[in-house]
């Protein structure tokens, strides 16, 4: 009976999850060796719809770069033929996307309510923000910093002991809708803060001396859409004038080299920069809040997935930031901390030179606002599951990431400016 209930539970989660089926869809990995092979991938995108996982767009593909992309089931043979014809070696990372999607929910029984080791839908996360604040009134308070395009309140949690003239660290999750491990980390961080306060000396010192602003999900409309319609959705859900295509990439929508390298002017593209900087209600709410608290916010951390990277500015230019040496040494030490738990290897460095150009990102914008300690995390994994990291990996991913975040926070506290 119990096994039957578990099966019914898992099936209903999957059915409830989205209308689209990804049955038979494949995720390929190729490493183009030269310009001709890069051109082959460009040709591929001209004859069929290709969803780029890594990098975000075909325009960013360069020789010797690892490229992960998803194609429709019925097109996969054509893709394999084209790659073979052009002498391109390839790997099928995910043979059946629907099966991988179902396998995300591997914590057997689905209980109603919030869990830190499961993926939670938006309503569950919203209820959790109210509960965690109500249960920990001396450490946590909740506010609304704006509303999304579809009218959902954007909840922000402030964590820390009340005190005068405290500096703060701002952290957000859930910029890109399909990166589910990201909001899971923001929830985990809050849990650890309230559970280890007065038990863990580092966390206690951090909460006594700093405030943490945590935005559990920025792109709420997109996140809801990944649970109800299309698990692979990335952008916001705003309508674009003169186009049938929906949404803007919120991490190309900030006023930092806006709509230059690595961002698209076309509303149908995954990296569409929007009609203007901060055209999205979500990015505007975030930017307004940070501008209003610029005198206190000393670090900005934004959590994404996947590829195990710790990046810092710049992504919109190959120029190094003036604080390059310091940021690089912090990233090196934080990556080492992270690896100390499960030996998970992270690559670190400035965004543009470490991975690719990406203009209009929130970390570059925050840095240019004067927030020196500005970092982007790209959490697990490196492509075996990609955006479909199984729930069994939530705990280890969050545990190791917490070590890096605590390291950075502690560094900031000891080097306030």
């Amino acid at each position: 009976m119990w096994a039957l209930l578990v099966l019914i539970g898992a099936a209903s989660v999957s059915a409830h999850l989205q209308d689209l089926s990804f049955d038979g869809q494949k995720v390929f990995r190729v490493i183009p060796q030269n310009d001709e092979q890069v051109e082959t991938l460009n040709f591929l995108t001209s004859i069929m719809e290709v969803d780029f996982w890594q990098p975000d767009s075909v325009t960013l593909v360069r020789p010797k770069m690892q490229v992960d992309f998803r194609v429709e089931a019925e097109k996969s043979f054509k893709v394999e033929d084209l790659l073979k014809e052009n002498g391109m070696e390839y790997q099928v990372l995910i043979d059946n996307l629907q099966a991988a999607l179902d396998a995300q929910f591997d914590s057997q029984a689905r209980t109603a309510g919030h869990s830190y080791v499961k993926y939670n839908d938006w309503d569950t996360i919203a209820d959790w923000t109210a509960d965690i604040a109500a249960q920990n009134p001396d450490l946590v308070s909740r506010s609304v910093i704006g509303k999304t395009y579809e009218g959902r309140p954007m909840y922000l949690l402030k964590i820390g002991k009340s005190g005068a003239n405290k500096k703060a660290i701002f952290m957000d999750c859930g910029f890109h809708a399909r990166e589910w491990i990201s909001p899971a980390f923001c929830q985990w961080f809050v849990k650890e803060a309230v559970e280890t306060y007065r038990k863990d000396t580092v966390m206690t010192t951090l909460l006594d001396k700093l405030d943490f602003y945590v935005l559990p999900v920025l792109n709420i409309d997109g996140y809801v859409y990944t649970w109800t319609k299309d698990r692979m959705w990335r952008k916001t859900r705003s309508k674009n004038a003169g186009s049938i295509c929906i949404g803007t990439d919120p991490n190309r929508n900030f006023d930092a080299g806006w709509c230059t390298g690595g961002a698209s002017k076309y509303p149908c593209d995954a990296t569409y920069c929007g009609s203007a900087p901060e055209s999205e209600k979500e990015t505007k709410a975030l930017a307004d809040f940070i501008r209003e608290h610029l005198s206190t916010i000393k670090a900005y951390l934004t959590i994404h997935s996947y590829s195990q990277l710790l990046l810092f500015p710049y992504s919109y230019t190959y120029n190094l930031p003036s604080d390059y040496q310091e940021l690089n040494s912090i990233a090196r030490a934080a990556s080492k901390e992270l690896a100390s738990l499960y030996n998970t290897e992270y690559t670190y460095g400035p965004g543009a030179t470490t991975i690719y150009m990406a203009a209009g990102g929130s970390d570059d914008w925050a840095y240019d606002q004067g927030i020196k300690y500005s970092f982007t995390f790209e959490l697990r994994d490196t492509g075996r599951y990609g955006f479909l990291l199984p729930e069994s990996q939530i705990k280890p991913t969050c545990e190791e990431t917490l070590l890096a975040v605590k390291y950075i926070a502690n560094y900031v506290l000891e080097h306030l400016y």
Side-chain angles (χ1 to χ4, degrees):
M1 178 65 185
W2 174 239
L4 183 64
L5 279 174
V6 168
L7 282 172
I8 293 168
S12 68
V13 163
S14 207
H16 151 75
L17 195 70
Q18 86 294 313
D19 292 351
L20 280 181
S21 171
F22 295 97
D23 220 32
Q25 291 198 9
K26 289 182 168 45
V27 178
F28 288 89
R29 170 169 290 172
V30 296
I31 302 176
Q33 295 301 311
N34 50 42
D35 290 336
E36 287 75 26
Q37 295 191 345
V38 170
E39 207 37 61
T40 299
L41 294 179
N42 275 292
F43 173 69
L44 193 65
T45 63
S46 71
I47 58 169
M48 67 178 73
E49 202 173 316
V50 180
D51 173 23
F52 280 84
W53 282 23
Q54 202 61 37
D56 305 326
S57 155
V58 72
T59 59
L60 299 166
V61 174
R62 301 284 176 267
K64 312 286 186 192
M65 177 188 273
Q66 190 168 279
V67 182
D68 301 346
F69 62 90
R70 164 177 77 99
V71 292
E72 303 289 328
E74 57 279 9
K75 303 275 169 59
S76 60
F77 298 112
K78 198 169 187 174
V79 172
E80 297 196 36
D81 289 344
L82 186 73
L83 294 174
K84 283 174 190 159
E85 271 168 40
N86 289 275
M88 292 178 75
E89 289 180 23
Y90 65 89
Q91 216 184 323
V92 178
L93 285 183
I94 298 176
D95 189 49
N96 182 345
L97 195 67
Q98 187 63 44
L101 204 146
D102 296 340
Q104 282 178 111
F105 296 104
D106 56 9
S107 61
Q108 284 301 294
R110 304 296 299 180
T111 50
H114 184 270
S115 167
Y116 291 105
V117 292
K118 292 193 315 206
Y119 293 119
N120 299 298
D121 63 19
W122 171 245
D123 289 340
T124 306
I125 295 171
D127 290 346
W128 165 83
T129 61
D131 292 344
I132 199 102
Q135 289 158 16
N136 303 277
D138 54 334
L139 271 184
V140 184
S141 61
R142 183 179 83 154
S143 61
V144 175
I145 61 164
K147 285 203 162 159
T148 65
Y149 180 81
E150 292 177 349
R152 295 180 176 91
M154 295 173 65
Y155 294 118
L156 182 76
L157 296 173
K158 181 183 181 182
I159 303 131
K161 284 304 270 187
S162 59
N165 307 320
K166 289 179 76 183
K167 302 304 183 197
I169 292 176
F170 191 101
M171 180 164 69
D172 59 51
C173 294
F175 252 74
H176 292 132
R178 62 190 179 183
E179 298 170 9
W180 282 12
I181 188 62
S182 164
F185 177 72
C186 268
Q187 294 162 69
W188 185 275
F189 176 83
V190 176
K191 167 189 92 80
E192 285 294 310
V194 300
E195 284 181 4
T196 66
Y197 182 70
R198 292 220 171 94
K199 297 190 184 95
D200 174 86
T201 51
V202 176
M203 187 63 89
T204 305
T205 303
L206 289 173
L207 297 180
D208 281 344
K209 297 191 172 165
L210 291 171
D211 287 326
F212 287 85
Y213 292 113
V214 179
L215 187 68
V217 185
L218 171 101
N219 179 10
I220 301 166
D221 298 345
Y223 187 70
V224 169
Y225 198 75
T226 61
W227 280 82
T228 54
K229 292 280 193 293
D230 176 1
R231 175 63 184 86
M232 286 296 116
W233 188 258
R234 169 186 167 91
K235 299 190 283 183
T236 62
R237 293 295 304 162
S238 57
K239 289 190 170 66
N240 292 308
S243 174
I244 56 162
C245 294
I246 296 287
T248 286
D249 182 341
N251 209 36
R252 300 293 187 280
N253 192 232
F254 287 81
D255 198 1
W258 180 76
C259 220
T260 52
S264 171
K265 295 177 170 64
Y266 302 104
C268 298
D269 289 350
T271 54
Y272 176 52
C273 62
S275 56
E278 297 175 31
S279 60
E280 301 308 283
K281 291 184 79 167
E282 297 84 355
T283 54
K284 174 105 173 65
L286 175 68
D288 281 347
F289 181 87
I290 289 177
R291 275 189 289 259
E292 284 159 23
H293 296 82
L294 259 186
S295 60
T296 54
I297 296 174
K298 296 299 169 187
Y300 173 76
L301 307 176
T302 183
I303 314 295
H304 292 250
S305 75
Y306 63 96
S307 54
Q308 294 171 200
L309 302 166
L310 181 48
L311 306 173
F312 52 86
Y314 283 109
S315 288
Y316 71 81
T317 171
Y318 289 112
N319 297 338
L320 296 178
S322 51
D323 301 292
Y324 168 75
Q325 290 320 118
E326 187 180 11
L327 294 175
N328 198 56
S329 71
I330 296 167
R332 182 191 303 122
S335 300
K336 197 175 166 189
E337 276 293 308
L338 188 148
S340 70
L341 197 56
Y342 299 109
N343 297 319
T344 306
E345 270 188 51
Y346 265 56
T347 304
Y348 59 88
T353 52
T354 306
I355 44 168
Y356 44 73
M357 289 279 275
S362 62
D363 55 348
D364 284 357
W365 175 83
Y367 182 79
D368 284 347
Q369 294 292 308
I371 301 174
K372 176 161 70 158
Y373 303 115
S374 184
F375 294 95
T376 295
F377 281 82
E378 294 278 357
L379 304 184
R380 292 190 191 185
D381 57 6
T382 54
R384 165 71 185 85
Y385 297 104
F387 302 117
L388 303 175
L389 198 68
E391 286 179 326
S392 56
Q393 291 200 33
I394 294 175
K395 184 172 183 279
T397 302
C398 291
E399 286 173 336
E400 68 191 11
T401 309
L402 183 71
L403 295 178
V405 168
K406 279 169 77 173
Y407 175 85
I408 293 170
N410 200 52
Y411 182 95
V412 172
L413 179 58
E414 288 172 0
H415 299 81
L416 287 173
Y417 57 96

